[in-house]
Amino acid sequence: FVGTQDSDGRFRALVPPIHECWRVVVAIPNFSLHTAKARACLSSEIPRTDSIFNTSRLPFLLEGLRTGDSDYLTLGCQDRLHQSQRAGLIPGFYQVMEAASKAGAAASYLSGAGPTMAAFVDMRQGVSSGAQVADAMDRAFQAAGVTSTTLVLEVDQAGLQVMELEPEGQIARG
């Protein structure tokens, strides 16, 4: 899902197609990381080279997701805008990313502001590939003294769905 707001105030959303091969492994550490703290790590100014670096990778991320091309996905997930700045807030950050990669993930990344870490896994590598990456990420967190919960998730192919709800007093009851 990619969203933005137009200059006239309207919200726009795109749901790019995602190849059926992808699963997302998440490793959820047992601690909280407040968004305000994670944002405070970020510089208020972005170097032009870092902005160009990230922006130039977005088409590769989208194409890798669409086609199932793991090389494009790997390139598309590279980041210079927030992950290294937030790494110090998450014990084992780099070790978890490296463990995911060594276990066969196409790419690993910090999910949003964190502390959840995530990785894309190509299920064409075998049904156990997601479990292998999840186990590796969990072990890396354990080595850093952090317990975590890992899940292998299917990607939602339906995308954003907007439902209009009736006000409480207007709900028909059977």
Side-chain angles (χ1 to χ4, degrees), residues 43-65:
S43 174
S44 61
E45 295 184 17
I46 299 171
R48 180 181 302 188
T49 56
D50 291 347
S51 177
I52 292 168
F53 180 93
N54 272 53
T55 304
S56 70
R57 277 149 176 78
L58 179 59
F60 291 94
L61 172 61
L62 295 173
E63 187 66 2
L65 288 171

Side-chain angles (χ1 to χ4, degrees), residues 37-43 45-47 50 79-90 93-94 110:
K37 184 175 182 180
R39 284 185 181 153
C41 293
L42 303 179
S43 174
E45 295 184 17
I46 299 171
D50 291 347
D79 171 78
R80 287 189 186 166
L81 297 183
H82 77 109
Q83 292 188 144
S84 62
Q85 294 88 328
R86 291 174 167 156
L89 301 174
I90 302 165
F93 178 89
Y94 291 111
L110 178 63

Side-chain angles (χ1 to χ4, degrees), residues 46-163:
I46 299 171
R48 180 181 302 188
T49 56
D50 291 347
S51 177
I52 292 168
F53 180 93
N54 272 53
T55 304
S56 70
R57 277 149 176 78
L58 179 59
F60 291 94
L61 172 61
L62 295 173
E63 187 66 2
L65 288 171
R66 185 183 73 77
T67 63
D69 186 315
S70 62
D71 289 336
Y72 282 171
L73 188 74
T74 301
L75 180 61
C77 284
Q78 294 175 352
D79 171 78
R80 287 189 186 166
L81 297 183
H82 77 109
Q83 292 188 144
S84 62
Q85 294 88 328
R86 291 174 167 156
L89 301 174
I90 302 165
F93 178 89
Y94 291 111
Q95 294 80 2
V96 171
M97 290 183 71
E98 182 179 345
S101 177
K102 285 184 177 179
S108 58
Y109 55 94
L110 178 63
S111 180
T116 297
M117 304 288 295
F120 282 107
V121 177
D122 184 343
M123 296 308 286
R124 294 172 296 190
Q125 295 177 1
V127 293
S128 65
S129 59
Q132 291 168 352
V133 170
D135 184 55
M137 293 172 78
D138 185 53
R139 282 186 278 118
F141 264 133
Q142 286 179 18
V146 176
T147 58
S148 66
T149 301
T150 57
L151 303 167
V152 180
L153 306 173
E154 289 189 29
V155 176
D156 178 8
Q157 296 293 331
L160 176 68
Q161 297 179 30
V162 178
M163 299 173 62

